[in-house]
Amino acid sequence: ALELRSVSKVYGDGPTEVQALREVNLSVEAGALVAVMGPSGSGKSTLLTIAGSLEDATTGEVLVGGLTLSGMSRNDRARLRRRAIGYVFQDFNLLAGLTAVENVALPLELDGVAARTAQAAGMEALEQLGLSDQGSRFPDQLSGGERQRVAIARAVVGDRRLLLADEPSGALDSVNGEAVMRLMRAACRRGVAGVVVTHDAQLASWADRVVFLRDGRVVDQTAPPLG
Amino acid sequence: ALELRSVSKVYGDGPTEVQALREVNLSVEAGALVAVMGPSGSGKSTLLTIAGSLEDATTGEVLVGGLTLSGMSRNDRARLRRRAIGYVFQDFNLLAGLTAVENVALPLELDGVAARTAQAAGMEALEQLGLSDQGSRFPDQLSGGERQRVAIARAVVGDRRLLLADEPSGALDSVNGEAVMRLMRAACRRGVAGVVVTHDAQLASWADRVVFLRDGRVVDQTAPPLG
Ligand SMILES: Nc1ncnc2c1ncn2[C@@H]1O[C@H](COP(=O)(O)OP(=O)(O)OP(=O)(O)O)[C@@H](O)[C@H]1O
Ligand SMILES: Nc1ncnc2c1ncn2[C@@H]1O[C@H](COP(=O)(O)OP(=O)(O)OP(=O)(O)O)[C@@H](O)[C@H]1O
Ligand SMILES: [Mg+2]
Ligand SMILES: [Mg+2]
């Protein structure tokens, strides 16, 4: 469902050039949950934004559902992001003027789903994350961990085939962090392909395998667990 | 250096009223590092914003350096925040139009320190956090963990007596997270009083004691470690 082939990313040029990713290969099949770990600055968010078509690779190819991103029109990529990709941003990226449930329902509404249906789906996703009482609050009336969970709900609502989560439990206690991993694990069982960036080895253990980044390169991968 | 006496905080009113804190007592002496833990939504950030005079308590008293916050003028409180209190926000709160070193130097410059002196202090703080190459970059050119470390550098620059950090290692790998705790530990040894909110029990173990919140109340405290 997701494939990165020899992806490199360079920011800036000349003396201030930053090699954020170097020749990264990654393959995530439907039903698989892959964790990505590595030091701060090693390229994890860059890998995810390129996989989610939010940024272009400098060289290399990205394929989502077998389709090459670089071969798609801007409209087709936008549609792919609305329908097929669920993204949890490292800084949540909620819209301050929308309530929690409106934030969660937004991708569906943008895709033409009727408001009432979208909001019902939004409330359901919020309940799965323990936020049934917070639906009508605005982001600035929520705790850090509540905002993070709203961002996660927005990524899992609807029928996405690819789930990309950038440190979805960074602001969460261990109980809530485990609940998020359980949710992602369940989504992948339904056929979704998932990539989770995390610093927490315990949460990474929920994944089928772990990819390790350092200085923009994949330096190690674990084998799938036995049995 | 910091004292909370029977502090309560209520958000909203009527049926949507939220009791964020209930009768919280906390005392942190100069030289002590206290960790605060608890589930998402338990009141940790609220406790910290009230301790840092960024929000008012609904009832109860807050004393910084022996001075009662409610008895101070707005100007005096602003001066206290610039000079005496270093705050690391859960969402970093960096200024997008300033470079990393400018963000770090800002509290000093606002307090009348000459720009060159302030920037030198800023670069020194960035070096302590492993960011000597990132000083002239803007926040949107930094990774999540790099932004968090800039926010931490801003809190420790200058001569603060009170350090309040809201999950300063949420976006950091374990190596960087430990480096942050080491830095806070060292600051407290110099006579600073520190309060760190964290979900990570391993990082909390760097503190002299741990306070546990649940539903806005202090439900438990550890004794200081032996020896
Ligand atoms: N402006 C507000 N209006 C209403 N409720 C609020 C507001 N701000 C915070 N709250 C609520 O107050 C409670 C405590 O929030 P706080 O941010 O202190 O939690 P926290 O312990 O820091 O959580 P986290 O670990 O998720 O960051 C939460 O239930 C939150 O939803
Ligand atoms: N716009 C940019 N211009 C220059 N350098 C950038 C830019 N964006 C990111 N970088 C750099 O690219 C590298 C990788 O960044 P990335 O955000 O992918 O790291 P990360 O692994 O997600 O880190 P963290 O764990 O801190 O979130 C870092 O060294 C960062 O400073
Ligand atoms: Mg990142
Ligand atoms: Mg908080």
Side-chain angles (χ1 to χ4, degrees), chain A residues 16 18 38-41 44-45 90-91 137 143-147 149 167 169-174 176 199, chain B residues 16 18 38-41 44-45 90-91 137 143-147 149 167 169-174 176 199:
Chain A
T16 57
V18 177
S40 173
K44 304 179 297 297
S45 296
Q90 191 166 2
D91 61 358
R137 282 208 230 147
S143 78
E146 289 165 343
R147 281 177 217 158
R149 283 181 278 154
E167 306 208 31
S169 60
L172 299 177
D173 52 270
S174 51
N176 275 297
H199 285 307
Chain B
T16 58
V18 176
S40 175
K44 306 181 295 298
S45 295
Q90 191 166 2
D91 62 357
R137 283 207 229 148
S143 78
E146 289 166 343
R147 280 176 218 158
R149 283 180 278 155
E167 308 209 28
S169 61
L172 298 177
D173 52 271
S174 52
N176 276 297
H199 286 307

mmCIF file of all heavy atoms in Angstrom, chain A residues 16 18 38-41 44-45 90-91 137 143-147 149 167 169-174 176 199, chain B residues 16 18 38-41 44-45 90-91 137 143-147 149 167 169-174 176 199:
data_model
loop_
_atom_site.group_PDB
_atom_site.id
_atom_site.type_symbol
_atom_site.label_atom_id
_atom_site.label_comp_id
_atom_site.label_asym_id
_atom_site.label_seq_id
_atom_site.Cartn_x
_atom_site.Cartn_y
_atom_site.Cartn_z
ATOM 1 N N THR A 16 24.403 25.822 3.260
ATOM 2 C CA THR A 16 23.391 25.519 4.289
ATOM 3 C C THR A 16 22.545 24.311 3.915
ATOM 4 O O THR A 16 21.486 24.078 4.465
ATOM 5 C CB THR A 16 22.439 26.709 4.494
ATOM 6 O OG1 THR A 16 21.832 27.026 3.221
ATOM 7 C CG2 THR A 16 23.187 27.923 5.016
ATOM 8 N N VAL A 18 20.907 20.773 3.776
ATOM 9 C CA VAL A 18 20.664 19.726 4.774
ATOM 10 C C VAL A 18 20.177 18.473 4.065
ATOM 11 O O VAL A 18 19.164 18.505 3.371
ATOM 12 C CB VAL A 18 19.594 20.166 5.803
ATOM 13 C CG1 VAL A 18 19.300 19.030 6.778
ATOM 14 C CG2 VAL A 18 20.041 21.411 6.552
ATOM 15 N N GLY A 38 14.243 6.738 15.762
ATOM 16 C CA GLY A 38 15.531 7.339 15.457
ATOM 17 C C GLY A 38 15.708 8.627 16.250
ATOM 18 O O GLY A 38 14.728 9.164 16.768
ATOM 19 N N PRO A 39 16.945 9.131 16.345
ATOM 20 C CA PRO A 39 17.197 10.335 17.137
ATOM 21 C C PRO A 39 16.472 11.559 16.577
ATOM 22 O O PRO A 39 16.031 11.574 15.421
ATOM 23 C CB PRO A 39 18.721 10.527 17.009
ATOM 24 C CG PRO A 39 19.251 9.240 16.526
ATOM 25 C CD PRO A 39 18.166 8.582 15.747
ATOM 26 N N SER A 40 16.356 12.583 17.402
ATOM 27 C CA SER A 40 15.785 13.843 16.960
ATOM 28 C C SER A 40 16.598 14.364 15.774
ATOM 29 O O SER A 40 17.828 14.387 15.810
ATOM 30 C CB SER A 40 15.819 14.844 18.120
ATOM 31 O OG SER A 40 15.410 16.115 17.668
ATOM 32 N N GLY A 41 15.909 14.755 14.713
ATOM 33 C CA GLY A 41 16.593 15.285 13.534
ATOM 34 C C GLY A 41 17.031 14.234 12.527
ATOM 35 O O GLY A 41 17.653 14.554 11.513
ATOM 36 N N LYS A 44 12.651 11.470 10.476
ATOM 37 C CA LYS A 44 11.396 10.719 10.606
ATOM 38 C C LYS A 44 10.198 11.511 10.066
ATOM 39 O O LYS A 44 9.387 10.980 9.304
ATOM 40 C CB LYS A 44 11.150 10.362 12.074
ATOM 41 C CG LYS A 44 12.306 9.579 12.703
ATOM 42 C CD LYS A 44 12.066 9.249 14.162
ATOM 43 C CE LYS A 44 11.952 10.461 15.075
ATOM 44 N NZ LYS A 44 13.204 11.245 15.119
ATOM 45 N N SER A 45 10.058 12.772 10.491
ATOM 46 C CA SER A 45 8.921 13.570 10.010
ATOM 47 C C SER A 45 9.026 13.809 8.517
ATOM 48 O O SER A 45 8.027 13.827 7.804
ATOM 49 C CB SER A 45 8.851 14.905 10.746
ATOM 50 O OG SER A 45 8.593 14.715 12.119
ATOM 51 N N GLN A 90 2.908 15.929 13.888
ATOM 52 C CA GLN A 90 3.669 15.999 15.135
ATOM 53 C C GLN A 90 3.198 17.167 15.996
ATOM 54 O O GLN A 90 3.260 17.114 17.213
ATOM 55 C CB GLN A 90 5.167 16.126 14.831
ATOM 56 C CG GLN A 90 6.039 15.948 16.050
ATOM 57 C CD GLN A 90 7.504 15.740 15.714
ATOM 58 O OE1 GLN A 90 7.908 15.764 14.561
ATOM 59 N NE2 GLN A 90 8.311 15.524 16.724
ATOM 60 N N ASP A 91 2.711 18.237 15.366
ATOM 61 C CA ASP A 91 2.179 19.344 16.173
ATOM 62 C C ASP A 91 0.666 19.479 16.027
ATOM 63 O O ASP A 91 0.112 20.565 16.174
ATOM 64 C CB ASP A 91 2.885 20.658 15.823
ATOM 65 C CG ASP A 91 2.664 21.030 14.379
ATOM 66 O OD1 ASP A 91 1.996 20.262 13.646
ATOM 67 O OD2 ASP A 91 3.150 22.088 13.959
ATOM 68 N N ARG A 137 -15.905 21.276 22.238
ATOM 69 C CA ARG A 137 -14.929 22.255 22.732
ATOM 70 C C ARG A 137 -13.969 22.646 21.624
ATOM 71 O O ARG A 137 -13.719 21.903 20.681
ATOM 72 C CB ARG A 137 -14.150 21.665 23.908
ATOM 73 C CG ARG A 137 -14.952 21.688 25.185
ATOM 74 C CD ARG A 137 -14.043 21.773 26.380
ATOM 75 N NE ARG A 137 -14.395 20.764 27.360
ATOM 76 C CZ ARG A 137 -13.525 20.159 28.152
ATOM 77 N NH1 ARG A 137 -12.241 20.461 28.076
ATOM 78 N NH2 ARG A 137 -13.934 19.267 29.020
ATOM 79 N N SER A 143 -6.702 19.941 26.825
ATOM 80 C CA SER A 143 -5.331 19.697 27.259
ATOM 81 C C SER A 143 -4.498 19.243 26.059
ATOM 82 O O SER A 143 -5.036 18.890 25.006
ATOM 83 C CB SER A 143 -5.314 18.613 28.344
ATOM 84 O OG SER A 143 -5.466 17.328 27.758
ATOM 85 N N GLY A 144 -3.155 19.254 26.238
ATOM 86 C CA GLY A 144 -2.260 18.843 25.144
ATOM 87 C C GLY A 144 -2.563 17.440 24.648
ATOM 88 O O GLY A 144 -2.626 17.172 23.441
ATOM 89 N N GLY A 145 -2.783 16.543 25.592
ATOM 90 C CA GLY A 145 -3.064 15.167 25.202
ATOM 91 C C GLY A 145 -4.424 15.015 24.548
ATOM 92 O O GLY A 145 -4.632 14.164 23.688
ATOM 93 N N GLU A 146 -5.374 15.845 24.958
ATOM 94 C CA GLU A 146 -6.699 15.799 24.322
ATOM 95 C C GLU A 146 -6.600 16.288 22.884
ATOM 96 O O GLU A 146 -7.209 15.718 21.981
ATOM 97 C CB GLU A 146 -7.699 16.624 25.147
ATOM 98 C CG GLU A 146 -8.048 15.950 26.476
ATOM 99 C CD GLU A 146 -8.740 16.878 27.465
ATOM 100 O OE1 GLU A 146 -8.682 18.109 27.299
ATOM 101 O OE2 GLU A 146 -9.341 16.354 28.416
ATOM 102 N N ARG A 147 -5.816 17.343 22.658
ATOM 103 C CA ARG A 147 -5.643 17.834 21.284
ATOM 104 C C ARG A 147 -4.998 16.769 20.421
ATOM 105 O O ARG A 147 -5.365 16.554 19.261
ATOM 106 C CB ARG A 147 -4.749 19.077 21.277
ATOM 107 C CG ARG A 147 -5.447 20.323 21.672
ATOM 108 C CD ARG A 147 -4.478 21.479 21.706
ATOM 109 N NE ARG A 147 -4.805 22.365 22.815
ATOM 110 C CZ ARG A 147 -3.961 23.204 23.382
ATOM 111 N NH1 ARG A 147 -2.721 23.288 22.967
ATOM 112 N NH2 ARG A 147 -4.350 23.964 24.387
ATOM 113 N N ARG A 149 -5.210 13.592 20.786
ATOM 114 C CA ARG A 149 -6.179 12.537 20.490
ATOM 115 C C ARG A 149 -7.207 12.992 19.453
ATOM 116 O O ARG A 149 -7.690 12.191 18.659
ATOM 117 C CB ARG A 149 -6.835 12.054 21.782
ATOM 118 C CG ARG A 149 -5.898 11.135 22.580
ATOM 119 C CD ARG A 149 -6.520 10.630 23.848
ATOM 120 N NE ARG A 149 -6.431 11.596 24.929
ATOM 121 C CZ ARG A 149 -7.269 11.646 25.957
ATOM 122 N NH1 ARG A 149 -8.280 10.806 26.036
ATOM 123 N NH2 ARG A 149 -7.100 12.553 26.911
ATOM 124 N N GLU A 167 4.551 10.550 15.889
ATOM 125 C CA GLU A 167 4.620 10.579 17.348
ATOM 126 C C GLU A 167 3.248 10.824 17.970
ATOM 127 O O GLU A 167 3.059 11.779 18.720
ATOM 128 C CB GLU A 167 5.605 11.659 17.796
ATOM 129 C CG GLU A 167 6.935 11.437 17.110
ATOM 130 C CD GLU A 167 8.105 11.926 17.887
ATOM 131 O OE1 GLU A 167 8.021 11.901 19.128
ATOM 132 O OE2 GLU A 167 9.084 12.314 17.254
ATOM 133 N N SER A 169 1.737 9.615 20.350
ATOM 134 C CA SER A 169 1.552 9.504 21.796
ATOM 135 C C SER A 169 2.514 10.388 22.572
ATOM 136 O O SER A 169 2.675 10.230 23.765
ATOM 137 C CB SER A 169 1.748 8.050 22.231
ATOM 138 O OG SER A 169 3.062 7.657 21.874
ATOM 139 N N GLY A 170 3.131 11.346 21.878
ATOM 140 C CA GLY A 170 4.124 12.200 22.524
ATOM 141 C C GLY A 170 3.581 12.943 23.733
ATOM 142 O O GLY A 170 4.279 13.154 24.708
ATOM 143 N N ALA A 171 2.319 13.359 23.654
ATOM 144 C CA ALA A 171 1.725 14.124 24.761
ATOM 145 C C ALA A 171 0.841 13.250 25.642
ATOM 146 O O ALA A 171 0.063 13.771 26.445
ATOM 147 C CB ALA A 171 0.900 15.292 24.205
ATOM 148 N N LEU A 172 0.933 11.932 25.502
ATOM 149 C CA LEU A 172 -0.005 11.059 26.223
ATOM 150 C C LEU A 172 0.672 10.234 27.299
ATOM 151 O O LEU A 172 1.806 9.791 27.144
ATOM 152 C CB LEU A 172 -0.696 10.111 25.233
ATOM 153 C CG LEU A 172 -1.516 10.800 24.143
ATOM 154 C CD1 LEU A 172 -2.100 9.773 23.188
ATOM 155 C CD2 LEU A 172 -2.636 11.628 24.765
ATOM 156 N N ASP A 173 -0.078 9.993 28.382
ATOM 157 C CA ASP A 173 0.383 9.064 29.407
ATOM 158 C C ASP A 173 0.363 7.648 28.849
ATOM 159 O O ASP A 173 -0.184 7.410 27.776
ATOM 160 C CB ASP A 173 -0.551 9.161 30.630
ATOM 161 C CG ASP A 173 -2.000 8.999 30.196
ATOM 162 O OD1 ASP A 173 -2.656 10.007 29.871
ATOM 163 O OD2 ASP A 173 -2.460 7.845 30.136
ATOM 164 N N SER A 174 0.923 6.709 29.589
ATOM 165 C CA SER A 174 1.095 5.361 29.031
ATOM 166 C C SER A 174 -0.235 4.680 28.729
ATOM 167 O O SER A 174 -0.352 3.965 27.739
ATOM 168 C CB SER A 174 1.928 4.498 29.971
ATOM 169 O OG SER A 174 1.391 4.558 31.273
ATOM 170 N N ASN A 176 -3.153 6.048 27.791
ATOM 171 C CA ASN A 176 -3.688 6.593 26.548
ATOM 172 C C ASN A 176 -2.809 6.238 25.355
ATOM 173 O O ASN A 176 -3.304 5.994 24.259
ATOM 174 C CB ASN A 176 -3.830 8.119 26.649
ATOM 175 C CG ASN A 176 -5.140 8.533 27.303
ATOM 176 O OD1 ASN A 176 -6.215 8.255 26.787
ATOM 177 N ND2 ASN A 176 -5.041 9.166 28.455
ATOM 178 N N HIS A 199 9.169 7.611 19.678
ATOM 179 C CA HIS A 199 10.414 7.530 20.445
ATOM 180 C C HIS A 199 10.325 6.431 21.485
ATOM 181 O O HIS A 199 11.292 6.131 22.170
ATOM 182 C CB HIS A 199 10.657 8.839 21.205
ATOM 183 C CG HIS A 199 11.106 9.947 20.330
ATOM 184 N ND1 HIS A 199 12.181 9.840 19.492
ATOM 185 C CD2 HIS A 199 10.638 11.201 20.163
ATOM 186 C CE1 HIS A 199 12.345 10.983 18.842
ATOM 187 N NE2 HIS A 199 11.435 11.818 19.224
ATOM 188 N N THR B 16 -21.407 23.271 31.758
ATOM 189 C CA THR B 16 -20.146 22.935 31.072
ATOM 190 C C THR B 16 -18.933 23.219 31.941
ATOM 191 O O THR B 16 -17.808 23.289 31.464
ATOM 192 C CB THR B 16 -19.996 23.745 29.769
ATOM 193 O OG1 THR B 16 -20.047 25.135 30.110
ATOM 194 C CG2 THR B 16 -21.077 23.389 28.780
ATOM 195 N N VAL B 18 -15.769 22.903 34.194
ATOM 196 C CA VAL B 18 -14.720 21.884 34.321
ATOM 197 C C VAL B 18 -13.872 22.216 35.547
ATOM 198 O O VAL B 18 -13.297 23.299 35.632
ATOM 199 C CB VAL B 18 -13.812 21.850 33.069
ATOM 200 C CG1 VAL B 18 -12.679 20.855 33.260
ATOM 201 C CG2 VAL B 18 -14.618 21.499 31.831
ATOM 202 N N GLY B 38 0.665 12.296 35.743
ATOM 203 C CA GLY B 38 -0.772 12.040 35.831
ATOM 204 C C GLY B 38 -1.351 11.818 34.452
ATOM 205 O O GLY B 38 -0.719 12.160 33.456
ATOM 206 N N PRO B 39 -2.574 11.262 34.387
ATOM 207 C CA PRO B 39 -3.188 10.984 33.100
ATOM 208 C C PRO B 39 -3.443 12.256 32.288
ATOM 209 O O PRO B 39 -3.437 13.376 32.826
ATOM 210 C CB PRO B 39 -4.528 10.334 33.469
ATOM 211 C CG PRO B 39 -4.414 9.934 34.885
ATOM 212 C CD PRO B 39 -3.420 10.841 35.519
ATOM 213 N N SER B 40 -3.680 12.079 30.999
ATOM 214 C CA SER B 40 -4.049 13.192 30.140
ATOM 215 C C SER B 40 -5.320 13.833 30.691
ATOM 216 O O SER B 40 -6.279 13.141 31.018
ATOM 217 C CB SER B 40 -4.291 12.671 28.725
ATOM 218 O OG SER B 40 -4.761 13.704 27.903
ATOM 219 N N GLY B 41 -5.318 15.163 30.814
ATOM 220 C CA GLY B 41 -6.487 15.880 31.313
ATOM 221 C C GLY B 41 -6.555 15.999 32.816
ATOM 222 O O GLY B 41 -7.528 16.534 33.354
ATOM 223 N N LYS B 44 -2.220 18.894 34.804
ATOM 224 C CA LYS B 44 -0.787 19.201 34.908
ATOM 225 C C LYS B 44 -0.441 20.551 34.275
ATOM 226 O O LYS B 44 0.264 21.367 34.877
ATOM 227 C CB LYS B 44 0.033 18.096 34.253
ATOM 228 C CG LYS B 44 -0.300 16.699 34.785
ATOM 229 C CD LYS B 44 0.536 15.610 34.134
ATOM 230 C CE LYS B 44 0.274 15.434 32.656
ATOM 231 N NZ LYS B 44 -1.119 15.021 32.371
ATOM 232 N N SER B 45 -0.904 20.774 33.046
ATOM 233 C CA SER B 45 -0.576 22.043 32.382
ATOM 234 C C SER B 45 -1.235 23.204 33.109
ATOM 235 O O SER B 45 -0.667 24.296 33.202
ATOM 236 C CB SER B 45 -1.028 22.016 30.915
ATOM 237 O OG SER B 45 -0.309 21.053 30.190
ATOM 238 N N GLN B 90 3.994 23.291 26.523
ATOM 239 C CA GLN B 90 3.738 21.961 25.965
ATOM 240 C C GLN B 90 3.730 22.011 24.440
ATOM 241 O O GLN B 90 4.072 21.047 23.773
ATOM 242 C CB GLN B 90 2.403 21.418 26.497
ATOM 243 C CG GLN B 90 2.188 19.958 26.183
ATOM 244 C CD GLN B 90 1.049 19.332 26.978
ATOM 245 O OE1 GLN B 90 0.373 19.982 27.761
ATOM 246 N NE2 GLN B 90 0.832 18.048 26.772
ATOM 247 N N ASP B 91 3.335 23.147 23.862
ATOM 248 C CA ASP B 91 3.397 23.238 22.399
ATOM 249 C C ASP B 91 4.467 24.221 21.943
ATOM 250 O O ASP B 91 4.347 24.823 20.880
ATOM 251 C CB ASP B 91 2.022 23.598 21.836
ATOM 252 C CG ASP B 91 1.553 24.947 22.344
ATOM 253 O OD1 ASP B 91 2.257 25.561 23.164
ATOM 254 O OD2 ASP B 91 0.477 25.390 21.918
ATOM 255 N N ARG B 137 18.360 29.238 12.002
ATOM 256 C CA ARG B 137 17.203 28.706 11.267
ATOM 257 C C ARG B 137 15.904 29.155 11.911
ATOM 258 O O ARG B 137 15.841 29.464 13.097
ATOM 259 C CB ARG B 137 17.250 27.180 11.241
ATOM 260 C CG ARG B 137 18.261 26.661 10.237
ATOM 261 C CD ARG B 137 17.855 25.304 9.752
ATOM 262 N NE ARG B 137 18.965 24.388 9.814
ATOM 263 C CZ ARG B 137 18.851 23.090 10.052
ATOM 264 N NH1 ARG B 137 17.661 22.566 10.272
ATOM 265 N NH2 ARG B 137 19.913 22.343 10.081
ATOM 266 N N SER B 143 13.221 20.290 13.050
ATOM 267 C CA SER B 143 12.398 19.124 13.391
ATOM 268 C C SER B 143 11.634 19.405 14.688
ATOM 269 O O SER B 143 11.943 20.356 15.414
ATOM 270 C CB SER B 143 13.291 17.889 13.563
ATOM 271 O OG SER B 143 13.932 17.922 14.829
ATOM 272 N N GLY B 144 10.636 18.548 14.970
ATOM 273 C CA GLY B 144 9.836 18.718 16.186
ATOM 274 C C GLY B 144 10.688 18.741 17.440
ATOM 275 O O GLY B 144 10.519 19.587 18.331
ATOM 276 N N GLY B 145 11.627 17.812 17.501
ATOM 277 C CA GLY B 145 12.489 17.741 18.681
ATOM 278 C C GLY B 145 13.447 18.918 18.770
ATOM 279 O O GLY B 145 13.820 19.355 19.862
ATOM 280 N N GLU B 146 13.852 19.439 17.634
ATOM 281 C CA GLU B 146 14.729 20.613 17.636
ATOM 282 C C GLU B 146 13.966 21.834 18.143
ATOM 283 O O GLU B 146 14.489 22.631 18.924
ATOM 284 C CB GLU B 146 15.298 20.847 16.227
ATOM 285 C CG GLU B 146 16.334 19.790 15.838
ATOM 286 C CD GLU B 146 16.672 19.769 14.357
ATOM 287 O OE1 GLU B 146 15.911 20.340 13.546
ATOM 288 O OE2 GLU B 146 17.698 19.179 14.004
ATOM 289 N N ARG B 147 12.689 21.966 17.717
ATOM 290 C CA ARG B 147 11.885 23.090 18.212
ATOM 291 C C ARG B 147 11.703 22.994 19.720
ATOM 292 O O ARG B 147 11.759 24.000 20.439
ATOM 293 C CB ARG B 147 10.499 23.067 17.547
ATOM 294 C CG ARG B 147 10.474 23.626 16.169
ATOM 295 C CD ARG B 147 9.091 23.486 15.555
ATOM 296 N NE ARG B 147 9.219 23.161 14.149
ATOM 297 C CZ ARG B 147 8.268 22.579 13.426
ATOM 298 N NH1 ARG B 147 7.130 22.236 13.976
ATOM 299 N NH2 ARG B 147 8.476 22.341 12.149
ATOM 300 N N ARG B 149 13.703 21.653 21.823
ATOM 301 C CA ARG B 149 14.939 22.002 22.510
ATOM 302 C C ARG B 149 15.205 23.508 22.473
ATOM 303 O O ARG B 149 15.801 24.066 23.395
ATOM 304 C CB ARG B 149 16.099 21.201 21.922
ATOM 305 C CG ARG B 149 16.091 19.741 22.421
ATOM 306 C CD ARG B 149 17.233 18.939 21.851
ATOM 307 N NE ARG B 149 16.970 18.453 20.525
ATOM 308 C CZ ARG B 149 17.911 18.158 19.629
ATOM 309 N NH1 ARG B 149 19.175 18.304 19.934
ATOM 310 N NH2 ARG B 149 17.580 17.707 18.441
ATOM 311 N N GLU B 167 6.251 18.882 29.888
ATOM 312 C CA GLU B 167 6.609 17.761 29.026
ATOM 313 C C GLU B 167 7.742 18.132 28.065
ATOM 314 O O GLU B 167 7.593 18.031 26.859
ATOM 315 C CB GLU B 167 5.384 17.276 28.254
ATOM 316 C CG GLU B 167 4.240 17.005 29.197
ATOM 317 C CD GLU B 167 3.305 15.952 28.739
ATOM 318 O OE1 GLU B 167 3.753 15.062 28.010
ATOM 319 O OE2 GLU B 167 2.133 16.022 29.137
ATOM 320 N N SER B 169 10.293 16.711 27.133
ATOM 321 C CA SER B 169 10.927 15.677 26.318
ATOM 322 C C SER B 169 9.917 14.907 25.479
ATOM 323 O O SER B 169 10.233 13.862 24.947
ATOM 324 C CB SER B 169 11.684 14.705 27.223
ATOM 325 O OG SER B 169 10.758 14.110 28.103
ATOM 326 N N GLY B 170 8.683 15.450 25.370
ATOM 327 C CA GLY B 170 7.637 14.743 24.625
ATOM 328 C C GLY B 170 8.040 14.411 23.193
ATOM 329 O O GLY B 170 7.685 13.370 22.661
ATOM 330 N N ALA B 171 8.791 15.310 22.553
ATOM 331 C CA ALA B 171 9.163 15.081 21.152
ATOM 332 C C ALA B 171 10.599 14.583 21.025
ATOM 333 O O ALA B 171 11.168 14.590 19.944
ATOM 334 C CB ALA B 171 9.006 16.373 20.354
ATOM 335 N N LEU B 172 11.194 14.134 22.127
ATOM 336 C CA LEU B 172 12.609 13.786 22.098
ATOM 337 C C LEU B 172 12.862 12.301 22.285
ATOM 338 O O LEU B 172 12.164 11.615 23.035
ATOM 339 C CB LEU B 172 13.367 14.556 23.189
ATOM 340 C CG LEU B 172 13.336 16.080 23.056
ATOM 341 C CD1 LEU B 172 14.060 16.729 24.216
ATOM 342 C CD2 LEU B 172 13.931 16.516 21.725
ATOM 343 N N ASP B 173 13.892 11.806 21.603
ATOM 344 C CA ASP B 173 14.349 10.435 21.825
ATOM 345 C C ASP B 173 14.970 10.350 23.222
ATOM 346 O O ASP B 173 15.218 11.365 23.868
ATOM 347 C CB ASP B 173 15.379 10.071 20.754
ATOM 348 C CG ASP B 173 16.488 11.110 20.686
ATOM 349 O OD1 ASP B 173 16.342 12.093 19.933
ATOM 350 O OD2 ASP B 173 17.460 10.972 21.462
ATOM 351 N N SER B 174 15.252 9.138 23.647
ATOM 352 C CA SER B 174 15.685 8.975 25.045
ATOM 353 C C SER B 174 17.016 9.671 25.336
ATOM 354 O O SER B 174 17.206 10.215 26.414
ATOM 355 C CB SER B 174 15.778 7.493 25.402
ATOM 356 O OG SER B 174 16.558 6.819 24.441
ATOM 357 N N ASN B 176 18.272 12.460 23.992
ATOM 358 C CA ASN B 176 18.027 13.898 24.152
ATOM 359 C C ASN B 176 17.179 14.179 25.388
ATOM 360 O O ASN B 176 17.379 15.192 26.069
ATOM 361 C CB ASN B 176 17.335 14.466 22.910
ATOM 362 C CG ASN B 176 18.330 14.824 21.824
ATOM 363 O OD1 ASN B 176 19.170 15.695 22.015
ATOM 364 N ND2 ASN B 176 18.252 14.139 20.699
ATOM 365 N N HIS B 199 5.344 12.447 31.255
ATOM 366 C CA HIS B 199 4.643 11.155 31.248
ATOM 367 C C HIS B 199 5.635 10.018 31.421
ATOM 368 O O HIS B 199 5.238 8.867 31.533
ATOM 369 C CB HIS B 199 3.958 10.929 29.893
ATOM 370 C CG HIS B 199 2.740 11.763 29.709
ATOM 371 N ND1 HIS B 199 1.707 11.786 30.609
ATOM 372 C CD2 HIS B 199 2.383 12.598 28.715
ATOM 373 C CE1 HIS B 199 0.775 12.590 30.172
ATOM 374 N NE2 HIS B 199 1.141 13.106 29.025
#
